[in-house]
Every structure is written in structure tokens, then in C-alpha cells.
Amino acid sequence: MDCLFCSIIKGDIPSSKVYEDDYVYAFKDINPNAKVHVLVVPKTHIDSADCIEESNIEAVSKVMLAIPKVASVCGLSDGYRVITNVGENGGQTVKHIHFHILGGEKLPVKLA
Ligand code: 5GP
Ligand code: ZN
């Protein structure tokens, strides 16, 4: 399967790593939308949050557990935002589930 984030996880495409464990990889977004903009992904491929199910919930849980660790590594003690875009209407452009962590400044435009 041809997946950009699987290639990044494998190291076939370079990235700026900020955190890694056995299940999770986190790296700087190439086109940041805030002073800090990091993507947190499971090392196993899941298309999107719409594909979360019992069989992959452990991988998803590992990503959730990594989020505060990534935030800490990035120095986001004043808060941050976690976003996952899903599908066409959600604006998802890379079809490997990922959680954006945005922070380092007061964030604009609250949609929810
Ligand atoms: P989405 O639009 O799917 O929610 O988020 C995909 C994110 O991946 C975008 O914010 C985009 O800037 C980022 N991105 C796309 N290609 C690359 C890449 O090659 N390297 C990195 N580090 N980020 C990428
Ligand atoms: Zn993938």
C-alpha cells in the first residue's frame, strides 16, 4: 500500500521526529499552522477515525496515551488543541489516521 505516513514511519521519507515509542510516531508538520504543529500517528496503518473499531483500538489508545507526552516534549504547558480530520468533508488529505497537536500560542478560530 502506498501511504505517505507509513513511508515516514519506516524512515523512507525524512521527517522531524519529536517523539517515538513502540506504537506511536510524532513528527513536525511540514506546513505548520501554529508555532507548534505536530502530527501523532499509530505505527500501524488505520485510514481515519472513521475506521476505529475493536480490532485497532489498542493502537488508537497508544496514540491517545502519547498525546500528553508529545505535548510535554513540545513544551505546551499552557495548553494546546488536538484535531483529527476525517474524510472529504473533514478536510483529511493524508489517509493514515493522525492527530494534529497545535499550540505554542493562543489559537484562533474555535469551531467546536
Ligand atoms: P490532514 O489534512 O490530512 O488533516 O493533515 C495532513 C497533514 O500532513 C497536513 O497538515 C500536511 O501539512 C502534512 N503533511 C503532508 N505531507 C507531509 C510530509 O511529507 N511531511 C510532513 N512532516 N507533513 C506532511
Ligand atoms: Zn499508512
Side-chain angles (χ1 to χ4, degrees), residues 1 3-7 9 44-46 95-96:
M1 188 185 23
C3 170
L4 175 63
F5 288 173
C6 284
S7 297
I9 292 160
T44 53
H45 183 93
I46 301 167
K95 291 182 176 38
H96 179 129

Side-chain angles (χ1 to χ4, degrees), residues 5 8-11 15-29 36-43 58-76 80 99 101:
F5 288 173
I8 285 176
I9 292 160
K10 273 194 279 176
S15 63
S16 297
K17 177 171 85 172
V18 301
Y19 173 86
E20 182 174 19
D21 63 31
D22 287 346
Y23 308 93
V24 176
Y25 189 71
F27 55 103
K28 292 183 182 171
D29 196 292
V36 175
H37 187 171
V38 170
L39 303 171
V40 191
V41 304
K43 287 186 172 177
E58 187 178 5
V60 175
S61 299
K62 298 293 186 186
V63 176
M64 297 295 105
L65 287 167
I67 285 173
K69 297 176 188 172
V70 172
S72 175
V73 166
C74 294
L76 300 178
Y80 53 94
F99 294 82
I101 296 186

